[in-house]
Amino acid sequence: MLGVCLLLIDGEEEKELFREFYWRYEKKLYAVALNILHSPALAEEAESEAFLRVAQHFEKFLNIYRKSRQEIGPWAVTIVKNISLDMLEKEKRYGALPEE
């Protein structure tokens, strides 16, 4: 997933910043998703989607990072939490989601 995300980001400094962010928050975002979804496969999917969204909106990431580095973690957790809750809502509407 990291490689895909890096393709969306221009500039070596920005890519390095994303790498640092990825390695710092990878386990945290997975844990948040797993706590909500109770499925390792779905938690991994939610985590990947969260990183993809951050990469797609990297300008917003940079704006938050430049204002206050401490806000990046809570912002990323909110993203993965919302993705996980959306997945749960879809599961309720359409039945259990396949794990694969």
Side-chain angles (χ1 to χ4, degrees):
M1 176 49 58
L2 177 58
V4 172
C5 291
L6 291 175
L7 291 173
L8 299 172
I9 298 169
D10 295 327
E12 284 308 311
E13 285 183 35
E14 288 81 2
K15 288 181 185 204
E16 185 56 36
L17 183 60
F18 187 87
R19 277 187 203 95
E20 289 175 22
F21 165 74
Y22 182 90
W23 293 118
R24 181 171 185 176
Y25 290 101
E26 176 187 28
K27 289 181 176 127
K28 174 78 172 176
L29 298 187
Y30 176 80
V32 169
L34 184 60
N35 189 43
I36 294 169
L37 296 166
H38 305 290
S39 162
L42 293 177
E44 191 173 308
E45 183 180 331
E47 173 206 9
S48 294
E49 179 63 27
F51 280 115
L52 187 59
R53 287 189 191 177
V54 170
Q56 289 171 328
H57 301 282
F58 198 66
E59 280 300 316
K60 184 169 184 171
F61 171 93
L62 287 175
N63 288 337
I64 294 168
Y65 184 81
R66 288 175 183 143
K67 277 187 194 174
S68 173
R69 292 179 186 186
Q70 291 78 22
E71 294 298 316
I72 288 297
W75 178 67
V77 166
T78 299
I79 292 170
V80 79
K81 183 177 98 176
N82 289 340
I83 290 168
S84 299
L85 292 173
D86 287 347
M87 291 171 76
L88 275 181
E89 186 61 33
K90 285 178 186 174
E91 183 178 312
K92 287 179 188 175
R93 271 193 243 143
Y94 303 112
L97 296 173
E99 293 235 356
E100 298 175 0

